Amino acid sequence: MAAVAKIAVENSVYHFDKMFDYRIPEDLIENAQIGCRVVVPFGQANARRQGIILGLSESSDPAEKSLKSILSVTDRAPLLSEEAVGLVFWLKEHTFCTLFEAAKLFFPAGIQVRLRPEYALASPISEIDTDRLEPEERQIVEYLSHSKDFVPWNKLLKDLGLSEDCSALTELLKAGIVLQNSGVVRQITDATQKMVRLVENAEPRKLTPKQASVLDTLRAAGCASLKELCYFSGVTPAVVNALQKKGLVQYYDMEVYRNPYAGVPTEPPKDFELSPEQKKAFQQMYAQYRAGVGGVSLLFGVTGSGKTSVFLRLIDRVREDGRGVIVMVPEISLTPQTISIFRARYGSDVAVFHSGLTLAERLDEWKRVRRGEASIAVGTRSAVFAPLDNIGLIIMDEEQESTYKSESSPRYHARDVAKYRCAYHKALLVLSSATPSIESYYYAQKGRYTLNTLPSRYGQAELPQVEIVDMNEELERGNRSIFSSKLQEALQKNLDEGKQSILLLNRRGFNTFVSCRACGHVLTCPNCSITLTYHAANNRLMCHYCGFSIPFTKECPTCHEDQVHYTGFGTQRAQQQLAELFPQARILRLDADSTMTRFAYDKKLKRFAEGEYDMLVGTQMVAKGLDFENVTLVGVLSADQALYGDDFRSYERAFDLLTQVVGRSGRGRFRGKAIIQTFTPENKVIRLAAEQNYPEFYREEIALRRAMLYPPFADLCVVGFVGSEEARVRASSVAFMQKLRQTAQRDYPEQPLRVLNPSPALIGKVNNKYRYKLLIKCRNSKRFREMMAALLTWFPTDRANNGVTAYADLNPDSIL
């Protein structure tokens, strides 16, 4: 009987992706377990590739002996659980990704490995005619002759001072003088600290007073780190080294965790009482959890209604049962306050998952959860893959946010993965929001989800008074500032009273449109079909898609007249105008440009909370999740930006953003106010957001969705086409549609489909790649996914599509 492993191989293209069979050598059978990574020979050239074992079998078929063998096993213990392996196959089917891409979602970034070339001599140097070699070749041979093992490529080049394009290695390989191997290198190694312990039954010899002091300390402590031992014994490491040479103590390495929040002080937990509304919501969700059948509950509460307090009570009960909890927030800017609350209440039982941590810190947080040392995982989208063994509860805060949907392969939505995991563990999934997605609220209304409502703010807090300002009237009065006179007065009043203000402008940069007054030329990115934005901080025009930039200029690149004109407002210009209007005010800007450094969000928001700033101006990261009692004024500088987009979700996003930012005001004991500036004050979405009237907005939006056959009444599948030649991309998108029509009519006639003709993407070119889209209204069934998988497998096999990549995205958050 031959042991066979079924392996998903890294960098396998989608149309060729499957589990490949490899024979397991006798010496690797014990280590080759499902969920472990391996190195295998792949393809006709037997290039070494990384893979992961997704299945095992035994076979007596003689043909199995001709299978290629696994070369090595990378992991000492499986990285994937039985649940994770099942989820890998689910992700492949639902997101049209490869098996290895899906499996990588479960690896912490720091544990990932790469294969690097290594070299050694094929035979002893005495058997090599070095006189016939070129100088560089001879140098390499002599260097390798002194090494017993394979030498990594980068070390070889560095030690010999050779360039990367050196051909000597290639010639030696061709001649068979040198052998090449692929070594496995882990991205981040485990952190360890040197420990010291007594050697059992060792007889102390003649000791100095300092040596005796070290032994006394160890007898009392059992073991200690070298650093601690030297500190408490008052000695240097040389004294411990002497004891080690006498055989009285021994060194060993102990793994330690790199804690990203080790130096961050923890505030004592705040005690709270649930209001009658909160108690009712808690009791209903707890009863659903205790039923032990899983399911989804929507917690719909106005801004400031105390949804977090309900979470905490629910988490307390779930932890009493010894079960794990995952808490997701949509973006890094919301994690500092969330982490602060959870660390204060649950201490080291909280592990953090988000991209703001270093690779090493993310690896160590993953290991703490994997080993059961932390049972609460808090973070952004990636936290849904936390390696908890017994999940009782998953919470998605601000569940409507677009950041829960991955825009690159695998194109999964964290909500769908959370549903899968909750079904597996019979756990409860809680979706929470003041502005739920239309789909989630629809399912709650239809009974697919349970619905719990918090209609009023917690305690004495009241919803803010909202005023809508018509900016057309401001222009008629000669006010060309981005700040209306009413907003200026309110900001001055707040400043005089020692209160704080938050201002939202959802565009970063200084000027957002640059054109020539002489010839009309618009300065655009040469790589993308997008205008450049002027950034005052670095005095450059920048593209927010590919990063292209040029120095600030007044000269037009087309007509060479000094007539380049800068218009439009971004957060940098808003900050400058604020400083001019209120020179005494302390102003903080929060956007992607001002928060590039590590923990920048945390530090700046902490300083704002402590009263170091009077005004906070920023993009949408200031609109959600923030809770500052002293903020009594919110200003929306341009409500129209969010309203008119080329997407059926434009109104939903605008309502969400406006409702959320208005909700930042008056969350404590002080009454709040909000001012929304707009050129279209008659727009109903703005009025409903000002009233915080989600039910009415939902009634209007769901009627439109039903009439236009958009989610939740149909699923959407967007097929994207990307390539460097626009004509070929367009032709390939048309060819795909024709093949779709033929395949659907012939093999899938029962599938309800509405297909819109291919068209250029909203931003037709990004980073010198042209983009087209094909929109399919469908039912996301197993048969439909089977058809799409067949089409995506066919597409690259047709030579007419060379140079064009096609991918499918089911229910994307935004249409390409």
Side-chain angles (χ1 to χ4, degrees), residues 611-628:
E612 291 186 31
Y613 294 98
D614 304 304
M615 300 176 188
L616 171 61
V617 59
T619 52
Q620 64 181 6
M621 64 177 66
V622 306
K624 300 170 186 181
L626 304 182
D627 190 353
F628 302 114

Side-chain angles (χ1 to χ4, degrees), residues 35 79 95 246 315 328 429 484 508 522 553 630 716 757-758:
L79 292 182
T95 70
K246 290 181 177 182
I315 291 169
M328 286 184 281
L429 171 60
S484 63
R508 59 192 175 104
V522 177
T553 181
N630 203 38
L716 285 184
N757 287 331

Side-chain angles (χ1 to χ4, degrees), residues 281-291 314 317 321 428:
F282 162 71
Q283 288 165 355
Q284 289 176 344
M285 287 191 291
Y286 184 61
Q288 187 176 353
Y289 160 75
R290 292 301 302 172
L314 203 54
R317 295 295 183 86
D321 293 340
L428 176 64

